[in-house]
Every structure is written in structure tokens, then in C-alpha cells.
Amino acid sequence: MENPSFPRFAEVLLPRPLAGGFTYIIPENMHTLLRPGIRVLVQFGNRKIYSGIILRLHNEKPENHQPKAILEVLGPAIDDQRILQFWEWLASYYMCTPGEVMNVALPSRLKLESETQLLCPLDEEQWPDTLSDTELEVLRITRSNSETTLNDVIKFSGASSVKVVRHLVDSGLLLIKESIKHQSLEKWIKVVRLRPNSEELIAAILSPNTRAKSQQNLLLAYYQLESTGQPITREKLLDVSRASMSSLDALVEKGIFEIVEVKESSIIGRSGMQAYTLTPVQNQALQQILDSFQKKRIVLLHGVTSSGKTEIYVHLMKQVQQSGGQCLLLVPEIALTTQLIGRLRQFFGDQISLYHSRMSDREQTDVWESVRKCEPTGRIVVGARSALFLPYSDLRLVIIDEEHDPSYRQDAPNPRYQGRDAAIYLASLFDARVLLGSATPSIESYFNTQIGKYDLVELHQRYEGLSLPTVEIVDLRAARKKGQLRGNFSQALLLAIEQAIARGRQSIIFQNRRGYAPRLVCTECGLILMCQHCDIALTLHKAAHKLRCHYCGSEKPVPLACSACGSVQLQLQGAGTEQIEDELTTYFPNARIERLDLDTARSKKRYQQLLTDMETGQIDILVGTQMVTKGLNFANVEVVGVVNADNLLYFPEYRAHERAFQLLEQVAGRSGRSGQVGKVFIQTYTPQHPVLTHVSTHHYGDFYQWQAAERREFHYPPFVRMIQLTLRHRDLKILQAAASQLAQSLTTLQEIHIIGPEFPPVARVSDYYRMRFLIKIPKNQSYLRIKNTLWHTCLSFFAHADYRRIRYTFEVDI
Ligand SMILES: Nc1ncnc2c1ncn2[C@@H]1O[C@H](COP(=O)(O)OP(=O)(O)OP(=O)(O)O)[C@@H](O)[C@H]1O
Ligand SMILES: [Zn+2]
């Protein structure tokens, strides 16, 4: 019988770059199963099958087409409506589609689609004998052909086989191709754990007059083991409780226990490590934060480098954990955060989940589920920006570490969003508190404290009252004149390194370019060797003996002569980390020198090794790109040298000064973290540059005043809002024609100020030319309305036959 009160249609979100959700008919047998957040399988177009997520149920029959019926119900993905609301907000705010958001939000396991490739890893002898006929059939199809897609299975065994596929994937008998490249060789073990919401059942068993004594013993043993923090395997539980297997099965059947597989490494016995006792200064900051949270939702913790911000995070996270709520700690790049995570693991043990896009699909899905069910491990999440998409239901605190870091922004593909800002919005949906932390806050965040939108809490002192490092600005021109320059190094810096080595202390040398030399130039005709596909000079990599493009990754052998004039007088210009390392080896032949950049630390293992060697004093000098500036905490670093600050200072972007200040202050902050005061040397040809002055006094407030005044005067954020619209096409003429036509159409938007069309500093990347518009929007204008107009203007403009092949993207709040 049809249930007349049940909605007849569902709006389903699909992982495609299309606007809005799509309407499907709800078959009768699904009435009890559907609600928003449930994953379903649907057909889209004539052939394609996708798993989508229900946005809402309704009764509005679409006017212009006959909807298809939902094929299968796959199960819940999201329980809390606010998560879907967040996805929709993200799409609309950052000018993309909810489908694109869904595409990055869901782990690939939850995203079956017709092209999904399936793989059966086990031989037939290894299959369990409990398989149903359909399961057997599906496995045989997959086994017989290494290129089997979900579509093939559906063609053969019908749409209902998808449920079977999903079940097989869940039990590890089938693998999804997309996830295969991520498969880690981790060992998994089966553990027993309590199911959520089983309190009543438990109370019944624990009541004194229960007849199920053996089950009671199991529960008590469980609690006992839980408090030790060890993994609770079936064997151990039976051993401690002296109960029988059948009693354990009974508890599983009753829905009190469940048996799940978890990664062995995720279970670290609680080491009994306590949080450090906060120093009085840190404690005062913590109290201020807690007080502020009573009145304001968002607090910026501005704490100088090595002031112990991490310890304050730990105390706040602990409070949320104890209250049973969820807490998210966002970090800019998980790969560069191993030290921080190590510290958190020591303290929280296995009660913490990591989440980032480089985890295996299975690990991602596990975290997804434990967050959705708000299990103990799903309450404290440490993640990169992708952790914003997890299905929280009781989020109470979001901490954003190094909130100024540019890697919070996703550049490509859509959604192109700023993770920090999105986190603040997500928190607002849950009325959760937000703590932004940094030694060098972004201008936007600090501005928000100045206008009273956020509260500001400051930590001016390093842990243990150590002084911030002394900074010497080294004038390279003067040094050269006085003959005090050797290669890329001033005598002052070399002397400091030498003295540090003599004292058994370490140095970090920062150069913002990898490779050996960023340019190879013909001294006869002046030709610079450029990438064939990009408008950028090729970088010489000496060890690999290659010229490489750092934009598109293409490579070339190193030529012996100039391709234009045949001269063999080719000269290297500029210096990358590889050259700096070489140079230091000649100056300090006995020193242990290592390099940390994308070329040497491609693997996580190698990166970890470098950190350990640095920590244990196996390295005297560490040369590196900005990888050495980020959050590293080495106790024994005395000297930090910046080989050349000028290429940071003169980058053509309105944030260049802000970025330069942040980078320099952060790298400086790696020195003198314990023991003696650190020494920083910044080499430059423009020693009077205000950024350098502010770094040398470590006075963030002065730096802010200076930058804010400039931004106000020249109308840049945070005093206006800014959107960048970029057009890309292989043909320069078509691109230019389109850009100037579009400029015409945009003149109708009178309230805004448009810069461009113009070429970005690198006009062509991977054979695509790029032109961009910078759109400045006064704060008194409706952002939403203007974005809408822009969106629709572009939609109709690029629908035009001549311009249909032009790709265009928006970057909001650039
Ligand atoms: N209360 C404390 N007790 C013991 N050690 C502490 C305490 N506070 C901080 N430390 C130690 O001081 C060092 C610096 O702390 P932390 O790394 O948290 O600084 P930070 O403010 O995050 O610095 P940065 O911004 O430079 O990354 C760490 O080794 C940390 O363990
Ligand atoms: Zn290139």
C-alpha cells in the first residue's frame, strides 16, 4: 500500500559539476528508509549510475521531465542536516556547485559510480563459503576481467547487485580501483567496542539482579580494559572476563558490543603522559580564552613563536573531550605537522582521529563513520582542510593552528575555498567556539579583533621566558663592496654558523627556491631557457642533471649550447637550495649538512628521517625551502640564515608583504627555542625595507598598522572584498577577445571596481594562457547579490558558441 503521507520525490545531490540536486521518484519499498543524508543509487542520463545523497524529500513533480526512480538505498552518510547546509553554503559562497563540493567531501568509497573500477584481490579458494549466489556471481565477473566497472556488474546482474557490491567492498572482498593506489600495508585487527546509545541495555545487564552474570562480567572486563587504553580484542576480553564466546555473541546480538576492524597503528596504548602544567602566563591566556568564549564565538590567540600554543590547545581539547562533544583541530598541511601530531598522540593516545586526503580510502571511511556516530575516536579530529567535510553532529570547538597559512586555501579544483573561513562558518552552524592561533596572524583576522568581531588573547613571552632571537639585517651590497661576500653568503652569517658548529649547536638556512639554479642564460644572446609549455624559466637540477619546470613538471636534458645562437657560454643565474647546500659543503667540509625541500622529502619516511636526525643532533646545518619554516620545534637550533629575502619582498601580489613578514618571522622563530638566545641573519639588497625592520623588532602590532594603512589607502582586503576571475584557453587570440568582450559585459556592474583583464605574472601554464580580472567590491554592497550577477553573467557569456571552450574559475576572497 502506498503511504499517502510520505513524500513522493527526493532531491538527490550528485558528484557532478551541475547546479542543484536532481529529482527522483521514491519507490514504495523505500519509504521507511529515506531521509536527507542517506546515500542512494540513481541513474543519470541514459547510462550513468551514481551514488548520490538525498538533500530533501518533497511532493513537487518536476514540470519539464519525467523523473526516474531511485535504484537502491545504500545507507546513511550524514546524520546531521547542518552538514548538508554547510556543503550548500560552501558552494554558493565560493561560486561553484554543491556537486563539486560533494565530490571532494566524500571519501571515494562512499562515491560509487558507473565508471568505478572494481577489483577482486582474493583467489576463489580464499572466498568465504557463506557467499550468496549474487555475491558469487559479482565476484566471478570481477575476477574474470581486471577492468570490470560497476557498470559491467549492473549490466550483468541488474541494479540490485550494487548493494551486493557495496557489501563486498565493505567486507574487503572487492576493492575500488580509485582507492587501490592509497591502499596502505597497515595491519588491521579486530576489536570489540561498545555501540553508541546502548546505555539502557547496559544498565539492564549491570543491574544487581540480572540473571546474565556472564554478560555482566564481560561488560565489567570491558570497562577495566578500556581504562588501560589497550586494544580490546575478543581474545583478551574473554580471557579477562572468563566468559564464554556465546555470552559475547549474545552481547553483540543485543546491540551492546560491536566487533570492528581497526588499524593496529591507530591504537597506541595510553602512555600515561599528562598534559604539561601550564606556566602562569599560559594559564592566564587559557583563562582569557575561556572567558572570551562566554561572550564571543571567535578568539584569536596571538602567541609569539615558541610560546606554547600547542599546550593551550591540548587543554581546550581535553575539556571538549570530557564533555563528550566533538572538537576539530585544523592544521595547514598534515605532512608538515608530524611533530604536533606526535605530541597530541602522546597525550590523547588512540582517542584521536587524523583526517587528510592522502590517507587510504578505508582509513578515511573509518574516520567518517566514527565521526558520524560520534564515537570516542570521532570526537577529537586533527585534520587538513578536508576534515571540514566530516559528518559532525556535536561540534563544540574548532581550533585553527597557524591560521595565517596560505595552504588553508584550496587552489584547484573547485571548490576553491579558504579553509579557515569555511571552518568559521561550519562552527557557526553548531554554535561552536573557534580559536585561531598564530605567531603571525593574517591581516584579516587581526583586523577582525580590532573591530571587535573577534576577541584577542596575546602571549608575548616564549616558554620559560626565553627571549625572541636577535635579528641582523645583512646588507649584501655593502658586504660585497667590503669584500665580505663569499658566493651567496656574507661573512657574518658564515661566522655565526661556524661558531654554532663549534658549540655543538645547529643552523637552519632558508632559501625560497628549490633546485640548483632558477635560470640558465646565454651570455652571448641573452636567451633564457624557458619551459615549452609555460612562460617561466626552467630550473636546473644538478643532481638529476635535468632542467625542470616548477609549474607543469616537464623536464629537459641540460643543453650544451644555446638553442638560438649556438654559443656554449651558458651561465647559471640565481641560487636554489641545491646550490646553497653545495656551497656550504665547500665552506664546512666536516659539517653534517642536509636539505629539506620537495626534492629530498618526497616521501613521508624521508621527511620523518630528516626531522629525527635534526632532533637527535645528527645534522649541523639544515638547508631548506619554506618547509623549514613551518611549525618545526627543534631545541638546539641557534642560527637561522635567510640567504636572500628580496624575492619574497618583491612578489607582484598585494599580500606579498604580509607573506614575507610571516615567512621571515616564522623561520626566525625556529631559533633559540631553548637555552641561549637565537641569532637570525637576513641577507638582502634592500636593508631598509619596512618588512625587514618589523621582523627585526618582532613587533607584529607595528607591522599590522603599516600594512593596514596601505590596504586601506589602496582599497585592498580587508577594507574591500575581492574576487578573482580567471579565464584559460590554449589560443591567446581567442582568450584576449573573450576577455575584452567580457570586460564589456561586466561594466553593467557599476558598484564594483574591476582591474583587468590582465595577465598574471606567469601568463601561460601547461599550454593554457590565462587572463584574469580582479573584482573589488565595497563592503557596503551586497556580496551575495554581486556574486549572483557575476555568476549569471559568466554563465550566459560562456554559453556563447565562440567562448564555450574557455575555462573560467572564481576565487572568492582572494
Ligand atoms: N607548559 C609547558 N611545559 C613544558 N613544556 C612546554 C610548555 N609550554 C611549551 N612547552 C614546550 O615549548 C616548546 C614550544 O612550544 P610550542 O611548540 O607549543 O610553541 P608554539 O607557540 O606552537 O610555537 P610556534 O608558533 O613557533 O610553532 C615545545 O617544545 C613545548 O613542548
Ligand atoms: Zn612548464
Side-chain angles (χ1 to χ4, degrees):
M1 258 308 282
E2 194 164 325
N3 176 352
S5 63
F6 201 82
R8 286 151 54 217
F9 301 103
E11 189 182 341
V12 179
L13 183 59
L14 300 178
R16 307 236 19 207
L18 299 159
F22 293 82
T23 304
Y24 286 88
I25 297 173
I26 303 176
E28 267 170 56
N29 60 351
M30 294 183 192
H31 280 186
T32 51
L33 305 171
L34 296 189
R35 58 180 160 76
I38 295 280
R39 282 191 319 126
V40 290
L41 199 76
V42 294
Q43 186 178 350
F44 181 75
N46 288 333
R47 295 183 330 111
K48 290 266 185 184
I49 303 256
Y50 289 104
S51 71
I53 290 189
I54 297 194
L55 285 176
R56 60 189 190 101
L57 306 176
H58 60 86
N59 270 316
E60 302 133 36
K61 188 173 186 320
E63 279 168 10
N64 44 10
H65 73 285
Q66 174 58 34
K68 300 187 172 79
I70 292 174
L71 298 174
E72 272 300 337
V73 182
L74 296 175
I78 292 165
D79 292 339
D80 197 302
Q81 287 303 299
R82 289 171 289 194
I83 299 299
L84 289 171
Q85 217 178 316
F86 173 62
W87 292 13
E88 290 188 285
W89 170 83
L90 201 87
S92 104
Y93 188 87
Y94 289 104
M95 304 179 77
C96 61
T97 67
E100 288 170 319
V101 175
M102 174 182 176
N103 214 10
V104 299
L106 282 186
S108 46
R109 242 186 206 226
L110 302 182
K111 271 192 316 198
L112 284 179
E113 51 180 88
S114 37
E115 300 307 321
T116 302
Q117 289 211 350
L118 301 170
L119 200 110
C120 174
L122 301 178
D123 289 332
E124 191 152 351
E125 305 85 73
Q126 296 167 282
W127 299 348
D129 355 304
T130 49
L131 295 175
S132 70
D133 288 351
T134 335
E135 284 174 329
L136 267 177
E137 186 176 72
V138 169
L139 284 181
R140 289 202 176 114
I141 299 170
T142 336
R143 188 79 202 157
S144 64
N145 179 358
S146 61
E147 301 273 280
T148 311
T149 63
L150 180 63
N151 227 4
D152 300 334
V153 174
I154 294 169
K155 263 189 222 149
F156 214 85
S157 320
S160 63
S161 58
V162 173
K163 224 180 195 160
V164 175
V165 167
R166 197 177 60 95
H167 183 71
L168 291 170
V169 169
D170 284 344
S171 50
L173 289 162
L174 276 186
L175 294 179
I176 291 179
K177 190 69 169 277
E178 214 179 318
S179 59
I180 290 168
K181 56 177 188 276
H182 292 300
Q183 284 300 317
S184 52
L185 299 167
E186 291 273 10
K187 196 165 161 215
W188 291 72
I189 53 172
K190 280 195 173 151
V191 298
V192 181
R193 64 183 184 198
L194 287 179
R195 289 183 77 112
N197 308 324
S198 48
E199 292 81 4
E200 271 177 35
L201 296 166
I202 294 176
I205 292 179
L206 292 181
S207 88
N209 42 19
T210 181
R211 296 230 308 273
K213 274 289 170 223
S214 165
Q215 294 179 17
Q216 193 174 56
N217 288 341
L218 270 167
L219 270 172
L220 293 173
Y222 179 88
Y223 289 124
Q224 189 191 336
L225 285 170
E226 194 190 34
S227 68
T228 66
Q230 301 164 36
I232 308 177
T233 59
R234 247 181 318 196
E235 296 68 35
K236 196 176 284 168
L237 189 58
L238 293 177
D239 189 33
V240 174
S241 63
R242 300 188 176 281
S244 66
M245 192 65 198
S246 60
S247 315
L248 180 55
D249 287 344
L251 284 179
V252 173
E253 214 137 273
K254 283 185 183 166
I256 293 180
F257 280 143
E258 59 186 352
I259 296 181
V260 287
E261 254 187 295
V262 294
K263 221 174 52 188
E264 198 171 22
S265 67
S266 71
I267 308 169
I268 298 177
R270 232 163 280 173
S271 57
M273 182 93 168
Q274 290 300 304
Y276 293 131
T277 318
L278 295 184
T279 63
V281 185
Q282 290 170 337
N283 203 31
Q284 194 187 356
L286 177 67
Q287 287 311 321
Q288 280 176 6
I289 294 168
L290 292 171
D291 288 348
S292 286
F293 279 163
Q294 303 289 322
K295 308 170 296 227
K296 285 243 164 69
R297 265 196 339 100
I298 308 172
V299 175
L300 171 65
L301 172 62
H302 171 217
V304 298
T305 53
S306 201
S307 52
K309 294 182 284 295
T310 320
E311 300 312 317
I312 294 181
Y313 301 161
V314 166
H315 279 78
L316 288 165
M317 290 160 79
K318 185 77 197 162
Q319 288 194 354
V320 178
Q321 187 188 39
Q322 280 163 349
S323 72
Q326 290 173 314
C327 165
L328 166 63
L329 170 62
L330 272 191
V331 295
E333 278 166 277
I334 276 274
L336 301 183
T337 322
T338 35
Q339 285 188 324
L340 171 73
I341 290 163
R343 173 81 190 102
L344 295 173
R345 277 249 192 256
Q346 273 180 339
F347 182 62
F348 291 104
D350 62 331
Q351 304 290 300
I352 195 171
S353 292
L354 292 191
Y355 195 79
H356 54 95
S357 51
R358 265 172 287 177
M359 275 159 63
S360 79
D361 201 19
R362 176 169 195 164
E363 294 168 305
Q364 284 188 354
T365 320
D366 273 1
V367 175
W368 185 280
E369 282 302 292
S370 72
V371 169
R372 184 173 72 80
K373 296 180 187 151
C374 202
E375 290 168 356
T377 50
R379 295 200 192 131
I380 299 210
V381 180
V382 179
R385 56 172 189 266
S386 54
L388 288 172
F389 298 110
L390 287 169
Y392 305 97
S393 53
D394 192 8
L395 191 61
R396 300 197 191 164
L397 174 68
V398 178
I399 299 174
I400 306 168
D401 189 28
E402 310 290 0
E403 65 87 26
H404 65 276
D405 196 302
S407 34
Y408 278 122
R409 175 172 277 282
Q410 167 150 324
D411 291 328
N414 275 353
R416 294 169 155 83
Y417 66 102
Q418 162 52 270
R420 175 197 56 217
D421 299 348
I424 291 173
Y425 184 81
L426 175 70
S428 77
L429 291 174
F430 287 87
D431 195 29
R433 309 291 121 173
V434 178
L435 181 69
L436 304 163
S438 175
T440 51
S442 61
I443 299 288
E444 297 96 302
S445 297
Y446 203 79
F447 172 80
N448 282 332
T449 67
Q450 301 301 295
I451 59 170
K453 209 165 150 189
Y454 306 167
D455 260 0
L456 175 65
V457 173
E458 300 197 271
L459 263 175
H460 292 296
Q461 228 183 59
R462 283 192 149 184
Y463 171 61
E464 286 194 316
L466 290 175
S467 302
L468 285 164
T470 59
V471 179
E472 186 173 325
I473 308 293
V474 181
D475 182 347
L476 287 173
R477 186 163 292 123
R480 168 162 294 159
K481 265 197 197 140
K482 292 187 209 149
Q484 295 172 344
L485 205 59
R486 221 172 140 194
N488 287 293
F489 286 85
S490 62
Q491 255 170 26
L493 177 52
L494 288 178
L495 187 67
I497 299 174
E498 190 181 318
Q499 288 171 347
I501 296 176
R503 280 201 288 268
R505 307 212 61 196
Q506 297 166 305
S507 304
I508 290 181
I509 305 299
F510 166 69
Q511 171 68 331
N512 204 26
R513 284 234 141 100
R514 65 194 167 91
Y516 194 81
R519 277 182 306 281
L520 194 56
V521 186
C522 170
T523 49
E524 286 295 319
C525 72
L527 181 94
I528 301 176
L529 274 96
M530 304 288 284
C531 174
Q532 260 178 311
H533 310 284
C534 313
D535 290 344
I536 193 84
L538 290 165
T539 300
L540 176 77
H541 285 253
K542 196 173 160 199
H545 205 69
K546 285 264 157 50
L547 289 174
R548 280 196 190 128
C549 172
H550 286 184
Y551 275 74
C552 71
S554 65
E555 290 190 340
K556 262 194 189 172
V558 184
L560 298 171
C562 171
S563 58
C565 72
S567 156
V568 291
Q569 303 294 322
L570 299 179
Q571 191 190 33
L572 296 173
Q573 278 186 0
T577 43
E578 202 183 0
Q579 187 179 146
I580 296 298
E581 185 192 9
D582 262 18
E583 223 182 304
L584 285 169
T585 316
T586 58
Y587 304 151
F588 304 104
N590 299 320
R592 294 160 301 174
I593 304 173
E594 291 288 347
R595 174 157 57 94
L596 177 57
D597 58 24
L598 264 185
D599 298 317
T600 62
R602 281 222 187 266
S603 77
K604 185 168 179 211
K605 207 170 146 205
R606 181 76 192 119
Y607 174 74
Q608 193 57 54
Q609 187 60 48
L610 284 168
L611 294 196
T612 312
D613 288 351
M614 196 67 188
E615 267 160 14
T616 53
Q618 309 294 309
I619 298 175
D620 298 313
I621 309 174
L622 184 66
V623 178
T625 52
Q626 49 176 318
M627 283 174 102
V628 300
T629 66
K630 297 204 173 184
L632 294 178
N633 181 33
F634 302 121
N636 198 30
V637 174
E638 178 174 296
V639 173
V640 162
V642 176
V643 177
N644 192 327
D646 297 334
N647 49 25
L648 297 173
L649 296 171
Y650 297 97
F651 199 74
E653 203 224 319
Y654 85 94
R655 285 183 200 273
H657 289 158
E658 178 186 358
R659 294 258 191 275
F661 175 84
Q662 287 162 344
L663 219 62
L664 292 171
E665 184 64 30
Q666 290 288 348
V667 72
R670 300 313 108 200
S671 75
R673 290 171 81 96
S674 80
Q676 277 177 349
V677 180
K679 293 180 195 157
V680 179
F681 295 82
I682 301 179
Q683 304 190 141
T684 172
Y685 283 98
T686 45
Q688 310 301 336
H689 199 291
V691 165
L692 302 181
T693 317
H694 294 307
V695 173
S696 64
T697 57
H698 303 293
H699 206 298
Y700 176 83
D702 288 352
F703 158 76
Y704 170 81
Q705 294 301 342
W706 168 66
Q707 262 309 283
E710 272 198 351
R711 302 254 182 111
R712 181 179 286 122
E713 186 180 343
F714 298 106
H715 304 287
Y716 277 102
F719 299 96
V720 296
R721 300 176 194 277
M722 206 153 88
I723 296 175
Q724 179 169 294
L725 166 59
T726 308
L727 277 46
R728 295 177 177 77
H729 198 276
R730 283 168 175 268
D731 187 320
L732 182 59
K733 287 221 175 66
I734 296 181
L735 181 69
Q736 280 176 313
S740 60
Q741 277 279 311
L742 181 62
Q744 291 291 318
S745 316
L746 293 176
T747 48
T748 50
L749 279 161
Q750 299 196 332
E751 325 70 352
I752 61 179
H753 178 59
I754 299 183
I755 304 173
E758 62 180 16
F759 291 109
V762 179
R764 187 179 52 126
V765 173
S766 300
D767 294 320
Y768 277 83
Y769 288 95
R770 308 184 294 178
M771 291 198 88
R772 67 181 185 194
F773 295 88
L774 283 177
I775 300 156
K776 289 182 176 176
I777 302 156
K779 284 223 161 157
N780 59 10
Q781 296 292 329
S782 157
Y783 207 16
L784 189 67
R785 185 178 54 81
I786 289 171
K787 281 195 274 193
N788 255 323
T789 317
L790 271 173
W791 175 265
H792 286 107
T793 309
C794 287
L795 209 60
S796 59
F797 183 84
F798 291 106
H800 192 280
D802 294 349
Y803 302 139
R804 207 172 290 153
R805 305 221 11 238
I806 291 182
R807 301 184 193 173
Y808 68 100
T809 48
F810 296 103
E811 277 138 293
V812 175
D813 295 341
I814 192 77

